[in-house]
Amino acid sequence: MRNHQLLVLSAIIALAGLGLFYYKAAILGLPLEPRERTSVWTVEARVQFQSRDKAARVALRIPESPPNFEVIDESFVSSGFGLTSEGVDGKRAALWAKRRASGKQTLYYRAVVHPGSVSAPPPPPNFPQPPEEPDEAFAAAAEALREEVRRQSADIPTFASMLLARLADPTPDEFARPVLERDMERVPLAIHLLAGARIPAREIRGLQLRDRAREIPLDSWLAVHDETDWVFFDPTTGVIGLPSDFLVWSWGDGPLLDVEGGRRARVDFSVLRNRHGSVEVARARAAVLGSPLPWLSFLELPIATQAVYQVLVLLPIGSLLVVLLRNVVGLATFGTFMPILIALAFRETQLLWGVVLFSATVALGLLARRFLERLKLLLVPRMAAVLTIVVLILGLTSLLGYGAGMERALSTALFPIVILTMVIERMSVVWEEVGARAALQQAVGSLVVAVIAYAVFSNRLVQHLSFVFPELLLVALALMLLLGRYSGYRLSELYRFRALGTTAEESA
Amino acid sequence: MIFQGLQERGVLGINARNADLISRWNERRYFPLVDDKLRTKRLAEKAGIAVPPLYGVVRAYHELKHLRERLADYDEFVIKPAHGSGGNGILVISDRYGDRLVKASGEVISAEDVEYHVSNALSGMYSLGGQPDAAMIEYRVAFDPLFEDVAFRGVPDIRTLVYRGVPVMAMVRMPTRASDGRANLHQGAVGAGIDLATGTTRRAVCRERMIEAHPDTGKTLAGLRIPGWGQLLDLAARCHDLTSLGYLGVDVVLDAKYGPMMLELNARPGISIQTANDEGLRPRLERVDAWLAERSDPPVTDRVAFARDHFGSF
């Protein structure tokens, strides 16, 4: 009966965990595998200006359905500013306003974007009327250039591309030279020349996404409508097509930033590649789906706390491992969860150095403990002394290692000193009471469990799944409950009772 | 293969012991009765069960100053932590030359060493959870000459497993050089199974391996007849009534002068007794269950009779 209840309870717990896991993985699309390189980016625009002690109004152009990207999250940080965002014809802007602002003001706009979505581009403009040329000479030069380019091109994109290439040529030919003499910026000049051929073109501005890029400038690009679609050109080369990691920030001319009631206004951009990119995507999807479940993820926590949980979620997995190795395999260890803590320490030190350090420290500690034994100290002071000696041994290792240029030796700082002390104490008691064999057996057992736990802990998939899907720990819990009633043999008992087992075979 | 063999013979694993026996039959609130050897001793004395006489108890560090005087009257004695487990922390003194004391193993130690040992015991070094402890000083058993040649510098004892009040299996545990005079199998002592009907030893094991003769003395281990066997079984069965523990290990020594004396009780007795008896426990436990299903609270004599009738060798 009790077994029956336990079975039902474990099944409920496991199903709850698996159900939530399924929901998050299959419906919200949280990634099942750790991906080193995600292509979700956080782009931040920072506006700074000096206020003039009166009402301030800031307009910052912000992206609106940039080609090749999807904006999955946006946020505005503006203390004391009222905010509206409006978008007209690809000229979406964030508008901040404040009755009274004084001193230096800083405003942030932050967008989380990821590539791949098809977004609706601004509608095609009307065919432009041929622009008014400043003078006859320019009009003739422009027409000559257009004629020359038209002869060599097949359609609108090739025409625009050839035109831009000629304008960008560092040694311009006789057709381009007279046009360039007019000292216009290249992109407006190109738009002007294209308009002369009744080809609609707009300037776009955007940025190249690079991880950890700070204070990067916006690049100007050219968008040309070829009667069906917008085609993009690099004005410095004439090459067709946006690079995949180029985020279009704003369309059309007009200032990027407009500040009324402030001076020395500037905007700069920084970019960060998101580590848990696909998680951001899933978060956005959860919002779209109107997910009724609370967002169960450690990724909502501050980074420092996340780091703690990245380690904490491994502990239940380690303890499940200990349950298996002790109750099913039957390994003897010092302390139930000591090997897990040792394994966590190995994460800092790396395996080989960790094992060496552990063995050496325990061996030296045992020697010290043996010496202290002769002094006949009381238990607690003696353990305190051993602890101090352990700290000294580790410190000495780091100093010597550092002197010898071994970086590894420095990673000992987090080695669980108290745990080591307990190991030394217990090992020496077992050594005296039961014998060296048992003591070494348990020490090796502990080390084996620690190494296995380390292997599990450093598996990227395990790290990823336990951190992104903490509900899987419920499955681990269910397994623990079930193993709690496991009354079968331990593997080691097959060896222990081999005398009994084999006699049965002989007699059979 | 081995797995099947074990299952067929009804060998109990440690998980089964913990899950099916200890957690089922041994209520936690009764554990202190046996985990505190002082309490066990008082309980047994009250019930008229023979135990080694207590010379004294050391409970606090300041008493260590007078330990030497208190021990001066005794040439041989045993120091035990009241909460010791697995035979840890037991110091057996077999002789003395003035201030120098001789351990059962033959090693000579000073009174200071004894004080240190007691202080370790007081600080909980040998107790289960490491909690502060008391040290008992008691009579050192002068064991029955029967065991003269099969005990190496220590006290052999008889471990009887009592299941729901019925003795189900027993073995003699004999110290060896490796076990340093202690009678715990995991420390290297020899265990010899006992025919419950006659009280005669059968095969023996040491470190889970079958042996014919004592590894240190060379004496044949099978065929020893334990005197007063019925009396011993009776004592073991009564210990169940003292403690209400359904899965109980009773350790008895045969003293040359006083006869069978209960040394200690164990609420988590080990399962090596199966190897010593070359038999799995489970069939015996099932027979007891079946027998008890038909009666309530049979008296000690009936329980002992049942054990002798059913758990002898044929």
Side-chain angles (χ1 to χ4, degrees), chain B:
Chain B
M1 349 77 8
I2 295 185
F3 179 79
Q4 256 177 343
L6 291 183
Q7 210 152 37
E8 270 166 34
R9 307 205 62 197
V11 174
L12 218 56
I14 202 88
N15 289 325
R17 180 202 72 165
N18 292 339
D20 301 341
L21 295 178
I22 294 181
S23 76
R24 173 138 185 238
W25 295 111
N26 290 358
E27 276 184 55
R28 195 151 274 282
R29 63 193 163 114
Y30 298 127
F31 277 27
L33 297 183
V34 298
D35 285 348
D36 184 344
K37 293 186 177 111
L38 269 169
R39 268 180 93 170
T40 316
K41 204 185 267 289
R42 291 207 194 96
L43 213 59
E45 278 170 344
K46 218 189 278 174
I49 293 172
V51 290
L54 185 68
Y55 294 162
V57 182
V58 183
R59 294 179 192 277
Y61 290 100
H62 66 82
E63 294 177 52
L64 289 176
K65 277 181 274 178
H66 311 291
L67 186 64
R68 215 175 287 205
E69 301 150 34
R70 283 168 73 180
L71 292 177
D73 294 343
Y74 308 109
D75 285 347
E76 38 181 340
F77 54 89
V78 176
I79 294 180
K80 263 184 199 177
H83 285 90
S85 68
N88 289 344
I90 297 178
L91 179 69
V92 182
I93 300 297
S94 58
D95 207 351
R96 74 152 73 226
Y97 307 110
D99 250 5
R100 319 282 297 165
L101 297 155
V102 184
K103 275 172 72 176
S105 60
E107 192 187 335
V108 178
I109 59 173
S110 67
E112 232 175 44
D113 288 320
V114 175
E115 280 168 21
Y116 181 56
H117 183 89
V118 172
S119 90
N120 273 338
L122 290 183
S123 58
M125 191 163 140
Y126 308 110
S127 64
L128 269 176
Q131 76 266 44
D133 205 357
M136 300 157 60
I137 305 161
E138 62 178 30
Y139 167 75
R140 178 187 176 229
V141 174
F143 56 83
D144 196 285
L146 169 74
F147 294 114
E148 197 82 56
D149 296 329
V150 290
F152 188 84
R153 290 185 178 144
V155 184
D157 70 3
I158 296 154
R159 153 68 59 91
T160 310
L161 214 55
V162 182
Y163 175 64
R164 301 180 65 188
V166 182
V168 284
M169 217 175 245
M171 66 174 166
V172 191
R173 302 187 299 179
M174 291 161 278
T176 59
R177 185 192 300 275
S179 76
D180 191 21
R182 280 168 302 203
N184 288 84
L185 291 204
H186 71 266
Q187 289 173 339
V190 168
I194 299 174
D195 181 336
L196 286 201
T198 60
T200 315
T201 57
R202 306 193 301 190
R203 74 206 288 267
V205 288
C206 183
R207 290 216 181 273
E208 314 290 351
R209 209 165 291 152
M210 240 187 291
I211 53 168
E212 297 285 322
H214 192 280
D216 301 315
T217 63
K219 170 94 181 184
T220 308
L221 294 164
L224 291 170
R225 199 182 175 92
I226 293 158
W229 180 242
Q231 197 192 340
L232 194 147
L233 280 182
D234 186 76
L235 186 154
R238 277 164 64 203
C239 284
H240 161 78
D241 305 342
L242 281 187
T243 58
S244 314
L245 293 167
Y247 179 68
L248 181 71
V250 181
D251 294 347
V252 173
V253 281
L254 293 183
D255 189 77
K257 209 159 35 166
Y258 301 107
M261 287 196 300
M262 191 265 284
L263 259 192
E264 63 180 80
L265 299 178
N266 198 320
R268 307 166 193 82
I271 48 178
S272 286
I273 198 169
Q274 299 175 105
T275 333
N277 279 278
D278 192 24
E279 208 173 316
L281 262 173
R282 209 182 279 280
R284 293 192 177 190
L285 303 181
E286 280 162 6
R287 279 178 102 154
V288 172
D289 283 333
W291 185 65
L292 286 177
E294 292 161 15
R295 41 184 68 66
S296 67
D297 253 339
V300 172
T301 44
D302 285 11
R303 284 182 262 148
V304 170
F306 177 82
R308 296 189 80 160
D309 286 350
H310 292 88
F311 302 139
S313 61
F314 318 103

Side-chain angles (χ1 to χ4, degrees), chain A residues 189-374:
Chain A
L189 174 63
I191 293 172
H192 184 94
L193 289 172
L194 286 168
R198 304 207 63 193
I199 297 171
R202 294 177 77 173
E203 182 180 4
I204 56 171
R205 271 171 286 187
L207 35 82
Q208 199 78 32
L209 298 177
R210 272 184 294 117
D211 196 13
R212 275 169 251 224
R214 300 182 61 80
E215 305 194 358
I216 46 177
L218 288 189
D219 298 327
S220 273
W221 273 58
L222 192 65
V224 174
H225 204 269
D226 71 348
E227 293 175 352
T228 52
D229 238 331
W230 288 103
V231 185
F232 302 92
F233 299 90
D234 184 347
T236 59
T237 58
V239 171
I240 303 177
L242 282 176
S244 59
D245 51 357
F246 186 86
L247 174 72
V248 175
W249 189 267
S250 69
W251 282 78
D253 45 2
L256 190 66
L257 174 68
D258 185 22
V259 177
E260 284 172 31
R263 58 205 159 83
R264 276 190 279 160
R266 52 172 296 192
V267 57
D268 49 58
F269 296 86
S270 48
V271 180
L272 191 70
R273 188 196 285 272
N274 286 22
R275 283 187 55 209
H276 296 283
S278 3
V279 174
E280 301 285 345
V281 180
R283 188 208 314 251
R285 198 164 303 164
V288 170
L289 289 174
S291 163
L293 280 175
W295 184 252
L296 292 170
S297 168
F298 293 126
L299 297 159
E300 299 289 296
L301 297 172
I303 299 287
T305 318
Q306 281 190 30
V308 173
Y309 275 99
Q310 269 172 349
V311 177
L312 285 189
V313 291
L314 292 177
L315 286 178
I317 293 172
S319 48
L320 177 64
L321 192 74
V322 167
V323 169
L324 281 172
L325 289 176
R326 282 178 64 115
N327 280 34
V328 179
V329 176
L331 277 178
T333 60
F334 286 117
T336 314
F337 295 116
M338 185 282 279
I340 297 305
L341 299 173
I342 297 288
L344 284 180
F346 284 171
R347 273 162 55 94
E348 306 288 330
T349 59
Q350 300 301 313
L351 188 59
L352 187 68
W353 173 242
V355 172
V356 169
L357 191 70
F358 174 81
S359 315
T361 312
V362 168
L364 285 172
L366 275 175
L367 277 179
R369 166 77 171 64
R370 247 188 137 60
F371 173 73
L372 291 176
E373 183 78 24
R374 283 206 251 147

Side-chain angles (χ1 to χ4, degrees), chain A residues 15-248:
Chain A
L15 282 179
L18 286 173
L20 199 57
F21 170 67
Y22 176 80
Y23 177 75
K24 282 166 77 174
I27 311 225
L28 299 184
L30 276 168
L32 285 172
E33 279 169 46
R35 250 169 277 157
E36 184 68 59
R37 300 177 66 79
T38 57
S39 36
V40 170
W41 304 84
T42 301
V43 186
E44 187 179 88
R46 185 180 59 180
V47 176
Q48 285 177 309
F49 65 94
Q50 205 68 39
S51 157
R52 288 192 184 129
D53 281 345
K54 54 180 192 180
R57 206 182 113 84
V58 178
L60 173 72
R61 297 280 294 275
I62 54 175
E64 179 189 20
S65 46
N68 306 332
F69 282 93
E70 184 183 20
V71 178
I72 54 180
D73 193 21
E74 277 185 312
S75 54
F76 304 86
V77 180
S78 48
S79 59
F81 278 81
L83 173 89
T84 53
S85 67
E86 60 179 33
V88 188
D89 188 22
K91 292 189 174 179
R92 188 165 171 254
L95 303 172
W96 285 280
K98 195 180 192 181
R99 275 281 174 81
R100 197 167 190 86
S102 57
K104 191 179 173 186
Q105 305 289 326
T106 308
L107 304 168
Y108 292 96
Y109 164 77
R110 195 173 295 151
V112 179
V113 298
H114 89 109
S117 83
V118 182
S119 53
N126 296 326
F127 289 105
Q129 290 302 316
E132 257 181 52
E133 303 293 357
D135 51 59
E136 282 297 311
F138 183 83
E143 190 49 39
L145 174 61
R146 277 197 292 264
E147 201 51 49
E148 173 65 16
V149 173
R150 196 175 285 129
R151 274 201 302 112
Q152 296 172 0
S153 58
D155 52 10
I156 292 175
T158 47
F159 177 82
S161 172
M162 298 291 293
L163 184 69
L164 282 170
R166 280 176 182 257
L167 293 179
D169 196 331
T171 53
D173 56 19
E174 71 260 34
F175 295 101
R177 212 177 304 127
V179 178
L180 285 167
E181 274 165 6
R182 284 309 164 110
D183 201 27
M184 275 172 86
E185 285 208 30
R186 197 179 288 139
V187 175
L189 174 63
I191 293 172
H192 184 94
L193 289 172
L194 286 168
R198 304 207 63 193
I199 297 171
R202 294 177 77 173
E203 182 180 4
I204 56 171
R205 271 171 286 187
L207 35 82
Q208 199 78 32
L209 298 177
R210 272 184 294 117
D211 196 13
R212 275 169 251 224
R214 300 182 61 80
E215 305 194 358
I216 46 177
L218 288 189
D219 298 327
S220 273
W221 273 58
L222 192 65
V224 174
H225 204 269
D226 71 348
E227 293 175 352
T228 52
D229 238 331
W230 288 103
V231 185
F232 302 92
F233 299 90
D234 184 347
T236 59
T237 58
V239 171
I240 303 177
L242 282 176
S244 59
D245 51 357
F246 186 86
L247 174 72
V248 175

